[in-house]
Amino acid sequence: MKYATRYILFLTLLVLLPFLAFVHLSIGQVDFSIEEFFSSFLMSGENQMKDIVLQKIRIPRMLMALLSGASLSLAGLLMQTLFRNPLAGPYVLGINSGASLFVALSIMTGIPFFTTDLSLVSGALIGAFLFGMLVLFFAKIVKNQISLLLIGLMLGSFTSAIVAFIQSVSPSEDLKIFTLWGLGSLQKVNIEQIPYIFMFIWIGITSALLIIKSLNAIVLGEQHAKLLGINVSNTRFIIILITAVLTGITTAFCGPISFVGLAVPNLTRILFKTQQHKILIPGTLLIGGIFILFCDIIIKLLENHFIIPINVLTSLIGAPMVIWLVLKRLK
Amino acid sequence: MSLKTKDLIIGYHSPLLHVEDFTLDTGNIYAIVGRNGSGKSTFLKTLTKQIQAISGNVFIHKKAISTIPLQNFPKYISFVPSRFPDTEYIRVEEFIAMGRNPYTNFFGSLTREDLKKINHSLHLLNISHLKGRFTTELSDGEKQLVAIARSLTQSTPYILLDEPTAFLDYPNKQNVFQLLKRISIQENICVLLSSHDLEQVIKITSKFLLVNKEDKIIHFENSIQQVEDIVSKIFI
């Protein structure tokens, strides 16, 4: 019975995803007929302009929506499992802030090491990892989960303050670049960068799948995991590393996108009603991709009237969802 | 097969209690009794490698536990903590299946042998009907049985339990104690439990480890008369 519902859920998601991807691709200023769409898709269209619109603009944006949604959601799931707290996530725990801080350094300080495209990525990765380790360090000292969340929020505030300071002393061109980055966008990625981003995210996903056994034990808490023979400190370190890669890479290319990592894993757990990571990981990846794809479809539909940054929309949807989750747990 | 201690001194960072050398044999049930905060939990945690001994050694089948690697240790001793984890969305059979963790492959897949062990434990504790329920939906008594079932599924010669009846009402207490007694004999397992339910414990065993806080010592006693004398001294 319960397995049947699982299959139906997966099947629904697997149908919904390509459907939304197709809808996402078909929205925009330029209209495509069905034939034009498929011929452009296969790069054999007669209309070169339409080929370029689809291949260079729409497909990268669609793929980036999927990749960012999937990776941020998986990062959130891993954080929630590690800290045994459904309100944990890369954003709440300040891991995003670490990435943001280093990106701010890279865009605005003009320190030579930080000024190339590659260094923006490595900066975000390093920042995410450093802050991940910092949170881990605090987690070892404070056993109380609420305190840990508060520390994460304070880390976030503290880094925002530093970033604000850097902003106040930066020239206006740099400031503009950083502000736009901070609003989040799926459009800055070009098709050549996608394979590299995909590779990083793939490494993150594969590593997560390789520690399924430890993840399943760690949801019961550190003591139980140890009693079952799991090397908890190794697992923790690996989780932080994977989270840093997933959060860092998406943050570097799309800017900070909040609440996805917090809301999607919770939604997945509520839908599938399980703590088995062999179900939760694919579930989170699919729902995460669908979630951002859906948000970006709304953005594209409204684009003629006003432009909503992706980070604004995910917060608008995500924040009420989290409040709902908190209320639900209080019952 | 036996579990032995030699010149054991336990405590968190500083010495708390000296443990007189003793031997626990499989097929028997033992109880460690003492006041709240006397060091029962510290003692059990030391035996299960959750904390290090200050000095001295614990031997299982003549092997010092400090030399047994972490991932193999759960094949020797299983431990039932006093609190059941409050994680949601875990089904009883999944929770019990985790007892097979030390034996399963890299991905944790269950073999037919594993499933047989799981069903055997469910059957022994009369909780087969709870199999598909979420652990968060169980009563305190049921939770304790499920926790014991996971320990059994670990197929260890030793099961240690920290205050297994602390949160239970009278009928549930009796039930848990009787089940533990039955299991120790039927499955030839050594059960060591901590408790301050002396009246109940005396019904199922006469082998005691007594924590004497005054003299900072844990010592072994197996004559009921002696136990009663000493216990009245410790508790009053």
Side-chain angles (χ1 to χ4, degrees), chain A residues 213 219 223-224 275 329, chain B residues 50 87-88 93 101 150:
Chain A
K213 188 173 168 179
V219 284
Q223 187 191 22
H224 282 269
Q275 293 282 6
R329 294 186 74 77
Chain B
Q50 297 178 68
T87 316
E88 45 183 5
E93 55 184 334
N101 244 25
R150 189 183 81 184

Side-chain angles (χ1 to χ4, degrees), chain A residues 239-258:
Chain A
I239 291 178
I240 292 291
L241 207 62
I242 300 173
T243 313
V245 168
L246 292 173
T247 314
I249 198 82
T250 26
T251 309
F253 284 100
C254 308
I257 302 178
S258 43

